[in-house]
Amino acid sequence: MAEPMPILRPATAQDVPAMVAIYNQSVAVNTASWDTEPQTVPERRAWFEERSAAGQAILIAEVAGRVVGWASWGPFRGKAGYRMTREDTLYVDESARGLGVGRLLLGGLVSTAREAGVHVLMAAVSHENDVSIALHEKLGFVEVGRLPQAGAKFGRWLDLVLLQLTLDDRPLP
Ligand SMILES: CC(C)(COP(=O)(O)OP(=O)(O)OC[C@H]1O[C@@H](n2cnc3c(N)ncnc32)[C@H](O)[C@@H]1OP(=O)(O)O)[C@@H](O)C(=O)NCCC(=O)NCCS
């Protein structure tokens, strides 16, 4: 029997534990996240409440009622001049990777960012993360910078790859 298709929906506070579990899979074994310690549910809950209150997108991909991935956009840098620029983040459960869930989530993020009037969407990705770089480029992101040895994890240097998607060409409001 064919796998049911993933659906995309806004996240709710009840999704936070599942989001943390998926995120911590990456903290432990890869350089997608540059955290070195697992995240806690209260930490992610605080993040969730802050982003929700600010109207920033948090999306869930779900298959047959199970959370298989999540994605969000939020601040790129804190100063007011960056208010039209946002940075994305996305994580897919290891059991559901390579099945189109990441593409669905990132497509949803781009749509919500466009609807919210975001001008530039950024991604900051480890140079080791070929899958994420390829996914972003498939959705139109362009590499605009590489910061050599900007980080370190598992005893090795990490370069930070910056990818950018400019969402519109309207004049500055
Ligand atoms: C990166 C990640 C979000 C991609 O999501 P995914 O659901 O696995 O990816 P998809 O199945 O939607 O594939 C999207 C594209 O990625 C590429 N891709 C996917 N799996 C790949 C693999 N194993 N090797 C190479 N490229 C791959 C393909 O180009 C694919 O395009 P296609 O649909 O035209 O074939 C997911 O693998 C993940 O969560 N990884 C760990 C956490 C992470 O890296 N997060 C991103 C931090 S910046």
Side-chain angles (χ1 to χ4, degrees):
M1 202 171 73
E3 277 284 306
M5 293 294 289
I7 59 150
L8 209 53
R9 62 167 174 80
T12 72
Q14 283 69 42
D15 296 314
V16 168
M19 294 169 68
V20 169
I22 291 170
Y23 180 77
N24 283 341
Q25 293 170 350
S26 281
V27 173
V29 302
N30 63 40
T31 56
S33 162
W34 292 9
D35 271 342
T36 54
E37 298 299 324
Q39 192 173 49
T40 65
V41 169
E43 283 167 349
R44 182 60 76 184
R45 189 160 282 135
W47 171 96
F48 180 91
E49 282 162 10
E50 195 178 336
R51 287 213 170 178
S52 300
Q56 295 160 355
I58 310 173
L59 301 177
I60 293 289
E62 186 179 279
V63 173
R66 185 171 78 95
V67 176
V68 293
W70 62 270
S72 179
W73 53 256
F76 170 62
R77 303 190 76 196
K79 303 249 164 41
Y82 292 108
R83 68 192 178 282
M84 310 286 288
T85 297
R86 297 287 180 241
E87 182 179 337
D88 74 24
T89 184
L90 77 158
Y91 288 86
V92 174
D93 187 89
E94 53 198 7
S95 69
R97 291 184 196 151
L99 302 173
V101 174
R103 184 185 270 268
L104 181 73
L105 282 164
L106 189 54
L109 273 194
V110 169
S111 299
T112 56
R114 193 170 267 124
E115 283 158 19
V118 173
H119 180 55
V120 164
L121 198 54
M122 295 296 302
V125 184
S126 160
H127 78 281
E128 297 182 345
N129 200 341
D130 296 334
V131 175
S132 182
I133 292 170
L135 169 60
H136 280 88
E137 287 178 340
K138 284 201 170 161
L139 291 200
F141 286 73
V142 174
E143 183 178 326
V144 290
R146 232 167 233 251
L147 282 55
Q149 301 186 351
K153 187 172 176 183
F154 304 137
R156 55 185 188 268
W157 292 116
L158 300 174
D159 300 349
L160 188 67
V161 181
L162 296 175
L163 298 118
Q164 171 167 350
L165 180 65
T166 303
L167 292 167
D168 60 44
D169 57 3
R170 74 201 146 94
L172 187 60

